[in-house]
Amino acid sequence: MSAVPTPPPLPLPLPAEPGALAPGRFGELVGTALPVVQGPFGGGLSSVALAAAVSEGGGLGSYGAHIHTPEEITALVARLRAATGRPFAVNLWVPQEGEAEALAAVTDPMTTEHVERLRPYYEELGVRPPSAGDVRAWPDFDEQLDALLAAAPPVISLVMGLPPRRLVTEARRRGIVVVGTATTVDEAVALERAGADAVVASGSDAGGHRGAFLRPVRESLVGTFSLVPQVADAVTVPVVAAGGIADGRGIAAALALGADAVQIGTGFLAARESGASEAHRRTLGTPEARTTVLTRLFSGRTARGIPNRFVRDMAAHEDRVPPYPVQNALMQPIRRAAGAQDRPEYVNLWAGQAAALARESPSAAAYLADLVEETEAVRAAG
């Protein structure tokens, strides 16, 4: 048996400036100077530049790799290592019950039914609908996981399920931190028992995809500031608060409720380094962003975003679209073309319930520095 490769040594956390946020238990676990995690964005919204900027600033930059092939994951981790010498995380989606069977059952007649529902959008945007073969070519989770373990990033994070036993075993051998995501207290307890080194307590306020896996999403909609203290009481591993946190007030509140760190998604999505389209970024921080909805229309899994024309026009089909990854593959050409053509009415405008608090910033590093300053000001004010 060949020896397990040893990941390159990571530097010690950056020294904290006087009055800066301390890394806390989570920062000490992953090797960051700040208790701030950049939320991982799937579907092309992540970027190496964003993850590296956050990591270089003392937080934990993250990259959502659920649509990547194993070969792309290998190259991605190499690019992240070249961009930053600080810790970073790569995120995958755990398969859910029935999804593999739905993908295997894809045939041209079945796919045609769903394509016809979307045909007006394909035609308006000038893109070719995917064939059944295109849909079935979606990356395999086990193969993705093999590639990620071989590449050995400092942190592997997961959403929508428990870490497989072999992931935990291999991660410990290779010195990789495993972070799971919970939407309920029961999920957090299950993650700790399964071997997760830390748990993200993701409230229903959070933007993007809902990670519920023990109960249906409708039974797992616990707000962040109700969820965090309960999870902190229920597990012994570090807890990261996520959902509806976009400024120093939210960070201070989450830490006061027992979180060891916070994860911020929408705020960093607004940064110029993110992979979000200009149309998406323009919507964040506006009165339009005060309203968000849960929808399956873009991927087949439930996600929170700002409602637009597509969401409203297709609302009657919420329960008819196929599960992930079938719907995700069918929608991929529409999403990409709409972003490229600056058509926000057809883009998945993922956003949390604090999206109206997002602000323009010259860079992710500047936004991170502002978060630290705001948090310390809130704490100093008592």
Side-chain angles (χ1 to χ4, degrees):
M1 182 181 294
S2 60
V4 174
T6 302
L10 290 167
L12 294 173
L14 296 166
E17 296 291 335
L21 285 174
R25 288 200 305 156
F26 182 80
E28 292 169 358
L29 172 68
V30 300
T32 62
L34 297 172
V36 178
V37 180
Q38 169 238 318
F41 312 125
L45 298 180
S46 288
S47 77
V48 170
L50 176 61
V54 174
S55 291
E56 287 294 302
L60 183 69
S62 305
Y63 194 108
H66 76 97
I67 66 171
H68 286 28
T69 65
E71 294 76 17
E72 289 170 340
I73 287 173
T74 301
L76 167 66
V77 175
R79 289 168 57 209
L80 286 164
R81 280 211 172 90
T84 179
R86 300 287 169 185
F88 57 85
V90 178
N91 179 270
L92 290 179
W93 289 12
V94 179
Q96 297 194 326
E97 185 177 356
E99 290 179 345
E101 293 78 5
L103 188 60
V106 167
T107 62
D108 281 313
M110 181 276 248
T111 307
T112 299
E113 172 193 344
H114 298 301
V115 165
E116 288 307 311
R117 184 183 302 124
L118 297 171
R119 187 170 296 281
Y121 304 102
Y122 294 128
E123 292 179 350
E124 183 173 345
L125 294 165
V127 294
R128 179 184 67 84
S131 67
D134 295 331
V135 174
R136 286 196 300 269
W138 200 257
D140 177 78
F141 173 75
D142 287 325
E143 293 175 359
Q144 289 177 317
L145 192 56
D146 287 341
L148 193 53
L149 284 167
V155 180
I156 292 177
S157 66
L158 301 172
V159 292
M160 308 182 200
L162 299 174
R165 183 179 298 275
R166 69 184 183 89
L167 165 60
V168 174
T169 300
E170 285 301 307
R172 287 178 177 163
R173 291 180 64 208
R174 298 168 188 260
I176 303 168
V177 175
V178 176
V179 179
T181 304
T183 64
T184 65
V185 176
D186 289 342
E187 289 179 355
V189 171
L191 284 164
E192 181 176 32
R193 288 175 178 169
D197 299 303
V199 171
V200 175
S202 180
S204 57
D205 321 43
H209 286 83
R210 303 302 308 132
F213 58 90
L214 288 185
R215 292 179 178 274
V217 170
R218 65 181 179 275
E219 298 179 19
S220 306
L221 298 176
V222 186
T224 302
F225 293 109
S226 295
L227 180 64
V228 168
Q230 295 182 72
V231 170
D233 287 348
V235 301
T236 62
V237 297
V239 175
V240 181
I245 301 171
D247 60 18
R249 293 171 295 180
I251 294 174
L255 297 177
L257 289 172
D260 299 285
V262 298
Q263 178 171 289
I264 296 176
T266 307
F268 281 115
L269 195 61
R272 62 176 176 81
E273 295 97 332
S274 87
S277 67
E278 286 299 324
H280 193 166
R281 277 198 289 267
R282 278 200 311 271
T283 308
L284 301 175
T286 68
E288 186 180 356
R290 294 171 185 163
T291 301
T292 61
V293 297
L294 294 174
T295 179
R296 294 181 59 247
L297 292 171
F298 286 101
S299 72
R301 287 190 183 182
T302 304
R304 182 177 294 283
I306 299 166
N308 55 11
R309 176 181 165 185
F310 180 82
V311 171
R312 294 187 174 102
D313 287 353
M314 295 289 288
H317 301 287
E318 279 283 352
D319 295 331
R320 300 176 191 171
V321 299
Y324 177 89
V326 178
Q327 179 70 2
N328 202 59
L330 293 172
M331 285 296 300
Q332 194 172 68
I334 294 173
R335 295 195 308 266
R336 289 179 173 174
Q341 296 175 29
D342 197 23
R343 302 286 298 275
E345 66 268 33
Y346 300 136
V347 174
N348 47 303
L349 301 173
W350 298 149
Q353 290 187 316
L357 295 177
R359 82 284 298 263
E360 283 191 45
S361 183
S363 67
Y367 175 52
L368 183 59
D370 286 345
L371 290 174
V372 173
E373 183 177 349
E374 291 169 4
T375 305
E376 289 304 323
V378 171
R379 287 176 152 185

